[in-house]
């Protein structure tokens, strides 16, 4: 995965969320759960780090904005 950019956490209320899960379905379920509570710039794919169990999913949230439709 790429490094987290300063712009993604430039102010209070912005966050980068990284989910580690056994499978893609679980990782995307966590993303969808958070999307119900705040604005999310969703990820569309997961990553597998060699030598590590499961998958990773990284997405961005903005607590200042309302969730999307």
């Amino acid at each position: 995965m790429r490094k987290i950019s300063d712009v993604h956490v430039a102010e209070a209320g912005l966050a980068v969320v990284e989910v580690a899960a056994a499978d893609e379905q679980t990782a995307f379920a966590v993303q969808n759960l958070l999307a119900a509570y705040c604005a999310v710039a969703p990820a569309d794919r997961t990553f597998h780090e060699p030598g590590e169990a499961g998958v990773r999913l990284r997405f961005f949230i903005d607590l200042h904005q309302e969730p999307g439709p």
Side-chain angles (χ1 to χ4, degrees):
M1 267 190 206
R2 294 185 299 189
K3 294 180 74 169
I4 296 171
S5 171
D6 291 342
V7 74
H8 294 126
V9 292
E11 62 183 73
L14 301 179
V16 178
V17 178
E18 187 169 311
V19 176
D23 57 44
E24 287 188 350
Q25 183 178 1
T26 303
F28 284 116
V30 171
Q31 176 177 261
N32 292 338
L33 179 69
L34 288 175
Y37 294 97
C38 58
V40 171
D44 59 358
R45 61 187 171 137
T46 60
F47 297 89
H48 175 75
E49 296 290 340
E52 293 187 13
V55 297
R56 303 286 185 271
L57 179 73
R58 181 183 287 173
F59 57 97
F60 308 96
I61 63 173
D62 183 344
L63 298 176
H64 301 295
Q65 296 183 31
E66 293 293 318

